[in-house]
Amino acid sequence: MRKFLLLALTAGCMTQVSAQKTDKLERPKLVVGIVVDQMRWDYLYRYYDRYTAGGFRRMMNEGYNCQNTMINYLPTFTGPGHASIYTGTVPAIHGIASNDWIDNRTGKEVYCVDDETVRTIGGGMEKTGMMSPRNMITTTITDELEIVTQRKAKVFGIGLKDRGSILPAGHAADAAFWFDDSSGNFITSTFYAKELPKWMQQFNDKRWTDTFMTKTWDLLYPANTYTNSTADNMNVEGKLPGEDSSVFPHKTPNIKGKGYYGIRYMPWGNTLTLAAAMACVKGEHMGADDVPDFLAITLSTTDYAGHNYGPDALEMEDMYLRLDMELAELMQYLDKQVGKGQYTVFLTADHGAAHNATYMKDLRIPSGTIPDKDANKGLHDYLKQTEGASELIRGMTNYQVYFDEEAIAKSSFDDERIKALVTQWLHSEEGVAYVVDMEDMDDAVVPETLRTMIVNGYYRERSGQLQIVMKPGWYSGHGETGTTHGGWNPYDAHIPLLWYGWGINKGQTYRTVNMTDIAPTLAALLHIQMPNGCIGNVISEVIKD
């Protein structure tokens, strides 16, 4: 009897082991990340009634909507946004402190994806392709996928902006592709490969860009049906280079710039990017096997147009209605190419945008602008007048003041006195709410939320010594038309976050989540390790049990 029981138990255990060996870890075949540059959260609802069933509304109604997703650092710009989404951490850790910064060791200006050690692949101007993710010092979720699959996963980044494709794709990606204005091609750098893949060469050879350069941007619908925007040709709207007014229609060939520059401001920029993304899925056979692949898409035209026209313009409503249709086409393509229910999509933004200050004043809402050039000149003149030495300041940018610490150390000036003088001058400027010493934040009298955002954005080698916090409705670095971003306010820091597809629940949450929670949620979905600098938390309610 004992022998029989032993044999029975052994057989049962062997059956269990055998079953475990045949069980397969379930993962999506493809993850598609979509970052819509400068997309305010409220665009989801401002134009909701006019969206199609298959674009934004498909993700909102059939997927999961994180309604209160916030950026948790300063400043809120494109480079830090893309890096933070994909690393799950903040500039203080991943190192992408802004789009551009002043290196405090050398005094040189640095662009976030500059890399002089690489060369352009795909044609165009040589400098355009001298880019890589080397300035980002942490891994991304895409890197972690490459690591865990022994680089069997296919990982690509695509966008008009170099930083919008490079930072999401990460260090270990198969490639990142961005747009070159001079040739009209998508290009890459020798950081990734010695030549473009055949499918991308064929895509460029089709000369989509030449076709788009002949197109005129007119409204999809009669102008009187655009009830969520201001009237056409408002005085707060910027004019595109080469145009006499900001009124529809806009003719792409009329826009002055190098080569195909005008496409960046037109809806065709999104069309081109999404067409390249679909060509990548097909050309690389993404989602065709059991190893999950990752495609990071950035849609940048919304940012170029947003800066020029502002968030309330007729152009922005039409831009998003067109984008909605193109997202529906992308989803339909993925349904056929990969299989409905076999892929996961998330859609978010790198930052939002402020309402135009003049427009806000017309509504009797406090607001204003401080042009960067005027502020820099004013501060230098003040230091020259009071101390006889304006060269102690390297510059004022990214809402930060960069001191020349080496020059101060060699001089007879006391750095604390210089900081105090600069702080005093800044506080005298209308629109400035707080000036925070980045190296002595304990004494800063600012709300705790702002303190945390400042700490999270401070990277010693690449950030200024003083952080300027503007009053609500105020911004710097921009003229009287259009808009910009960079602040802590909800219009800049409240972003959309939609999840759809494989492994995603249907529903929504209004609890606060952060941009840095996206990467760990993807890690949980894929059953892989979080990026090595990740500080975010899994949004557990997004994922199906």
Side-chain angles (χ1 to χ4, degrees), residues 327-518:
L327 289 174
E329 289 180 14
L330 173 67
M331 304 274 275
Q332 290 170 3
Y333 179 82
L334 294 174
D335 288 344
K336 294 177 181 178
Q337 190 72 21
V338 183
K340 190 173 182 179
Q342 300 299 308
Y343 62 90
T344 304
V345 175
F346 72 90
L347 182 145
T348 189
D350 52 350
H351 54 75
H355 291 287
N356 177 272
T358 302
Y359 174 66
M360 295 292 274
K361 286 178 181 177
D362 290 343
L363 298 176
R364 301 185 300 277
I365 296 173
S367 59
T369 62
I370 302 178
D372 273 348
K373 287 184 179 179
D374 293 350
N376 270 288
K377 184 179 184 305
L379 179 55
H380 279 83
D381 290 348
Y382 174 73
L383 288 176
K384 191 169 185 65
Q385 179 183 354
T386 57
E387 302 298 304
S390 62
E391 70 277 2
L392 304 177
I393 302 295
R394 282 177 168 152
M396 184 161 42
T397 185
N398 304 328
Y399 297 97
Q400 295 169 3
V401 181
Y402 288 80
F403 289 82
D404 190 333
E405 294 178 326
E406 185 177 352
I408 293 174
K410 290 179 179 179
S411 72
S412 59
F413 298 104
D414 176 73
D415 60 342
E416 292 301 320
R417 171 175 166 76
I418 299 299
K419 278 185 181 179
L421 284 170
V422 172
T423 299
Q424 179 181 335
W425 182 84
L426 288 168
H427 275 144
S428 70
E429 289 290 294
E430 185 181 10
V432 174
Y434 303 103
V435 180
V436 179
D437 186 342
M438 303 279 241
E439 296 176 337
D440 189 20
M441 287 187 244
D442 290 340
D443 293 333
V445 183
V446 294
E448 187 57 42
T449 300
L450 298 189
R451 185 195 306 273
T452 299
M453 293 179 77
I454 293 169
V455 171
N456 286 345
Y458 178 59
Y459 191 86
R460 175 67 182 85
E461 296 172 4
R462 301 170 180 178
S463 297
Q465 285 74 24
L466 295 179
Q467 174 74 52
I468 304 164
V469 179
M470 307 295 289
K471 294 176 182 177
W474 284 77
Y475 49 82
S476 70
H478 206 276
E480 294 300 314
T481 60
T483 190
T484 191
H485 49 86
W488 62 270
N489 317 77
Y491 48 73
D492 281 351
H494 187 192
I495 56 174
L497 178 55
L498 305 177
W499 303 84
Y500 173 85
W502 188 97
I504 303 301
N505 276 321
K506 180 180 177 180
Q508 62 182 342
T509 180
Y510 285 92
R511 76 174 179 90
T512 300
V513 301
N514 292 319
M515 173 187 275
T516 48
D517 295 333
I518 297 172

Side-chain angles (χ1 to χ4, degrees), residues 108-259:
K108 293 182 179 178
E109 292 187 11
V110 179
Y111 177 54
C112 61
V113 289
D114 267 346
D115 189 345
E116 295 181 354
T117 69
V118 300
R119 293 293 177 265
T120 302
I121 300 294
M125 298 178 64
E126 180 59 28
K127 180 66 177 173
T128 310
M130 296 174 67
M131 307 289 167
S132 86
R134 285 197 173 109
N135 288 326
M136 182 169 59
I137 63 172
T138 61
T139 63
T140 58
I141 189 64
T142 44
D143 286 331
E144 296 296 335
L145 182 59
E146 290 278 43
I147 292 168
V148 78
T149 63
Q150 301 298 303
R151 300 205 71 178
K152 295 184 184 71
K154 296 163 187 163
V155 173
F156 291 90
I158 293 179
L160 294 185
K161 291 183 180 179
D162 42 34
R163 59 188 182 271
S165 62
I166 290 170
L167 297 172
H171 305 269
D174 293 274
F177 305 103
W178 55 97
F179 189 67
D180 172 62
D181 293 335
S182 64
S183 66
N185 287 343
F186 277 99
I187 63 173
T188 189
S189 76
T190 52
F191 179 88
Y192 302 101
K194 294 181 180 179
E195 62 181 4
L196 291 176
K198 186 176 180 179
W199 64 264
M200 181 55 89
Q201 293 178 33
Q202 293 172 340
F203 181 84
N204 285 335
D205 289 344
K206 290 180 180 178
R207 303 310 303 165
W208 291 70
T209 47
D210 290 322
T211 301
F212 291 140
M213 286 300 291
T214 66
K215 291 175 73 69
T216 295
W217 179 14
D218 211 338
L219 293 169
L220 276 171
Y221 308 106
N224 62 0
T225 67
Y226 286 74
T227 58
N228 300 302
S229 308
T230 54
D232 201 8
N233 199 24
M234 296 282 286
N235 64 343
V236 297
E237 297 176 23
K239 299 179 184 67
L240 293 178
E243 289 196 330
D244 297 325
S245 71
S246 61
V247 68
F248 276 101
H250 302 288
K251 296 182 179 180
T252 313
N254 290 352
I255 302 173
K256 293 180 180 178
K258 294 180 180 178

